Amino acid sequence: MRWIFLFILVAMTTIGCAANCQNIQQQLDACQATLTDQDFIIKKQESTIRQKDQKIAEHKEAIEKISADNAELNRRLNISSNEKGRYDERIKDIASSVREFIKQQMRDNRNFLTGIALEDFIGNELIERAHTGDDKIIIINVAHPVPSGGQINGVGGYFSGPADIIIKLLRPVGNDYIVIYNKQVQVAAEEPGKKYIDFDSPFIVKKGDVIAYYFPDTVNVPYDSDIGTNTYSKMRSDKYQHGDRIAADDIWHTDQPKRKYSLNYYGIFYTRVDAE
């Protein structure tokens, strides 16, 4: 009886081991399949990584090429900029020399005209006068219009101190005037005296044109009262720009005393003043 029981126990144990072994084998097979799948996935990811590494290498190569091209372009640009700078400097030097030559010619012409009294200086005598010191005034020299066609090369004045002036050329149109030129000049006067201001380019004029002087600050040009004309007025800011129209009523002021300022202009005209 004991032997039968032992036999049954051994048989049951053998059957259990076989079942367990079968389960273990199935698990091993499943693990093997999982490892195979993972290995495939890893190989696929490695292939993707290699492709990306290759693209990165290609991009790096392209970037290096672009950097080299950019460096070469910068080198050429620096050379061109340097050459252009020297060219521009040369042009400026030439332009400056030409302007200085023309201004010297204008000064020589002025001295020549003055020396032989050709009457090409038009306006009032540049002398010290009784009054000075006003500011923000426009003076329109209608008493001395341009005698004929030609060019105005500059203006003269007797200055008691430094002054800023906006020179205007007014052209009559009917009863009014049109601003044809507008030029700002500065006068440095360390002591009172006569000064001439040459224009860097002349005013091309017609007969009947009129010169006006606007002083945005202190006038520093003397005048005598009760003589001359009354074509001057206060003007806080320059309201007559290039192309603007000035009505005749804004020029003549019969309700104020006449004045004669030490201002004139000079140039070359087709007809001599004394031949008028």
Side-chain angles (χ1 to χ4, degrees):
M1 194 64 182
R2 180 182 298 174
W3 294 105
I4 294 172
F5 178 75
L6 291 173
F7 177 77
I8 293 171
L9 182 62
V10 170
M12 291 178 66
T13 302
T14 303
I15 293 171
C17 289
N20 290 333
C21 288
Q22 187 176 1
N23 289 335
I24 292 171
Q25 185 62 43
Q26 291 176 351
Q27 293 177 359
L28 289 174
D29 293 341
C31 290
Q32 185 65 37
T34 301
L35 291 173
T36 301
D37 292 341
Q38 290 180 348
D39 184 59
F40 175 76
I41 292 172
I42 290 170
K43 290 181 178 179
K44 186 176 180 180
Q45 290 177 343
E46 288 178 347
S47 176
T48 301
I49 291 171
R50 283 195 298 270
Q51 292 176 358
K52 290 183 177 179
D53 288 342
Q54 183 177 357
K55 288 183 179 180
I56 290 172
E58 292 174 354
H59 289 163
K60 286 183 177 179
E61 183 178 356
I63 290 172
E64 290 175 356
K65 186 177 184 303
I66 292 173
S67 297
D69 292 342
N70 187 46
E72 177 62 18
L73 289 175
N74 285 333
R75 185 185 70 84
R76 295 181 182 181
L77 180 61
N78 289 334
I79 294 173
S80 299
S81 298
N82 188 34
E83 291 176 347
K84 184 178 183 299
R86 294 182 180 179
Y87 178 77
D88 291 344
E89 184 177 355
R90 180 172 176 269
I91 292 298
K92 289 179 181 178
D93 291 341
I94 293 174
S96 177
S97 298
V98 170
R99 282 196 298 269
E100 184 58 33
F101 174 78
I102 293 174
K103 290 175 71 175
Q104 184 60 47
Q105 292 298 309
M106 292 166 62
R107 286 192 288 266
D108 292 342
N109 287 337
R110 183 191 67 206
N111 296 333
F112 171 75
L113 294 173
T114 304
I116 62 175
L118 288 179
E119 302 292 342
D120 275 346
F121 279 69
I122 302 173
N124 300 324
E125 292 294 329
L126 307 185
I127 59 175
E128 187 175 4
R129 299 180 186 271
H131 308 286
T132 188
D134 289 338
D135 58 9
K136 300 184 185 305
I137 285 181
I138 184 168
I139 302 165
I140 302 176
N141 193 2
V142 294
H144 300 94
V146 172
S148 70
Q151 65 182 46
I152 294 177
N153 294 330
V155 297
Y158 186 96
F159 294 93
S160 58
D164 291 329
I165 316 174
I166 299 176
I167 311 297
K168 301 175 183 293
L169 180 70
L170 311 183
R171 181 156 296 165
V173 178
N175 292 327
D176 300 332
Y177 291 85
I178 300 294
V179 180
I180 302 300
Y181 287 100
N182 222 30
K183 182 184 292 292
Q184 185 167 5
V185 298
Q186 291 182 327
V187 180
E190 297 180 357
E191 58 183 22
K194 183 190 305 184
K195 285 188 175 295
Y196 296 100
I197 302 97
D198 296 319
F199 295 162
D200 53 0
S201 57
F203 288 178
I204 306 303
V205 296
K206 294 182 178 180
K207 182 178 180 178
D209 289 347
V210 171
I211 285 287
Y213 311 81
Y214 174 58
F215 294 81
D217 297 310
T218 304
V219 177
N220 279 337
V221 173
Y223 67 90
D224 290 323
S225 60
D226 299 323
I227 187 173
T229 63
N230 49 16
T231 53
Y232 63 92
S233 59
K234 282 276 189 179
M235 192 165 70
R236 294 187 177 277
S237 61
D238 186 7
K239 62 181 181 180
Y240 301 124
Q241 301 298 320
H242 181 270
D244 288 347
R245 180 182 291 265
I246 304 179
D249 292 341
D250 293 335
I251 294 178
W252 297 93
H253 303 279
T254 57
D255 58 342
Q256 63 186 13
K258 294 181 179 181
R259 289 182 180 180
K260 178 179 281 190
Y261 283 88
S262 290
L263 291 168
N264 63 23
Y265 63 92
Y266 54 89
I268 301 172
F269 306 100
Y270 304 149
T271 302
R272 282 180 48 174
V273 175
D274 57 1
E276 287 292 305

